[in-house]
Amino acid sequence: MIDAIVFLGIQGSGKGTQAELLAAHIRYQHINIGDLLREQISRKTELGKKVNSTILRGDLVPDDLVFELIRTSLDQDCPGVIFDGFPRNLAQAEYLSKHYRLVRVYYLDLKEEDAIKRIQGRRLCPKCGANYHLLSHPPQKPGICDNCGATLITRADDSPQAIEQRVKAFFAETFALKSFFESKGLLKSLPAEKSITQIHNLVLKDIHKD
Ligand code: AMP
């Protein structure tokens, strides 16, 4: 079984950033379901067409499509995988426990109002996929990607209605996973308001403690 580490948290809690940093450090594959789905949408694949309206509404995509996407994206040669944005409900958490050796779940703890503020400041490069934030990680030239010079955009599903719906879905379906993983002794809570480096260092300290 492949080792898995999960970053859990409300949208905007910084789980993607932390997953990326840890993946680079321990050389695990990083899987972000939201990014994979958006890629399918921009490539106009059958799957992309199927999930487009669901994502724009801010609802969850059906579990079987998510499991299939993970199966086809997984690099079998990688020593382990870091998930962010997965699992999002109990059925997905059970799938994960059954198919992977779950090592740790990091819960990035952030208040709902702070999460909403953070999501509203997000900007994305449509060309190279780089992520920015107007407050915490602005591009050098306003509105322009540092890497490739493209004009930055707001994610289509970061509309006020979709943000509201995703936050609702988080509390209705995902938040319960915190106690699910806590009861298995796998959960480590981290204060999401700390800096990116401070949180990364807490993760490294925890990962290397054994
Ligand atoms: P995210 O980028 O993590 O905010 O995800 C964007 C959208 O992709 C979500 O609002 C869902 O529609 C979909 N999505 C991402 N991850 C999952 C998942 N694990 N299960 C179902 N839908 C997901």
Side-chain angles (χ1 to χ4, degrees):
M1 263 196 201
I2 296 182
D3 279 1
I5 294 171
V6 167
F7 281 87
L8 193 68
I10 193 167
Q11 288 73 14
S13 60
K15 55 188 187 316
T17 306
Q18 292 301 328
E20 208 171 301
L21 285 173
L22 183 63
H25 187 85
I26 60 175
R27 298 184 188 284
Y28 276 22
Q29 185 182 3
H30 172 201
I31 293 191
N32 174 308
I33 308 295
D35 281 349
L36 292 177
L37 289 167
R38 280 184 288 277
E39 189 195 327
Q40 298 280 327
I41 293 171
S42 69
R43 282 175 38 218
K44 296 189 169 56
T45 63
E46 278 311 305
L47 175 61
K49 285 180 207 158
K50 241 190 241 174
V51 299
N52 193 20
S53 56
T54 308
I55 291 195
L56 287 178
R57 274 199 313 274
D59 288 330
L60 292 185
V61 163
D63 292 340
D64 54 340
L65 297 184
V66 172
F67 299 154
E68 180 61 22
L69 199 56
I70 292 175
R71 271 196 296 271
T72 52
S73 310
L74 201 69
D75 173 1
Q76 295 293 344
D77 296 329
C78 221
V81 58
I82 298 180
F83 288 110
D84 89 81
F86 175 86
R88 283 260 238 285
N89 59 29
L90 208 54
Q92 294 183 6
E94 277 159 359
Y95 173 92
L96 178 74
S97 306
K98 193 169 157 202
H99 293 90
Y100 295 84
R101 197 179 79 85
L102 192 52
V103 177
R104 206 65 162 140
V105 177
Y106 292 106
Y107 177 69
L108 286 158
D109 200 0
L110 187 68
K111 284 207 264 324
E112 182 178 340
E113 60 264 35
D114 293 337
I116 290 173
K117 268 187 228 148
R118 284 195 186 182
I119 304 170
Q120 287 168 339
R122 287 207 296 221
R123 295 295 179 272
L124 169 76
C125 175
K127 209 168 153 199
C128 73
N131 288 297
Y132 296 90
H133 194 280
L134 296 184
L135 300 174
S136 60
H137 176 41
Q140 281 165 11
K141 237 194 206 169
I144 303 293
C145 179
D146 294 345
N147 297 339
C148 71
T151 301
L152 302 179
I153 57 163
T154 303
R155 255 168 58 174
D157 63 337
D158 276 350
S159 68
Q161 297 83 348
I163 292 174
E164 193 186 328
Q165 188 54 30
R166 272 152 62 216
V167 168
K168 247 193 213 160
F170 173 79
F171 285 108
E173 307 210 41
T174 314
F175 187 67
L177 302 186
K178 186 178 174 239
S179 46
F180 176 83
F181 290 124
E182 209 159 28
S183 70
K184 293 178 180 290
L186 290 168
L187 195 91
K188 167 98 181 154
S189 264
L190 299 166
E193 72 281 356
K194 285 199 187 289
S195 75
I196 292 174
T197 312
Q198 281 173 323
I199 298 172
H200 180 54
N201 287 336
L202 289 173
V203 171
L204 290 185
K205 207 167 138 198
D206 180 73
I207 280 281
H208 293 309
K209 79 176 185 304
D210 300 325

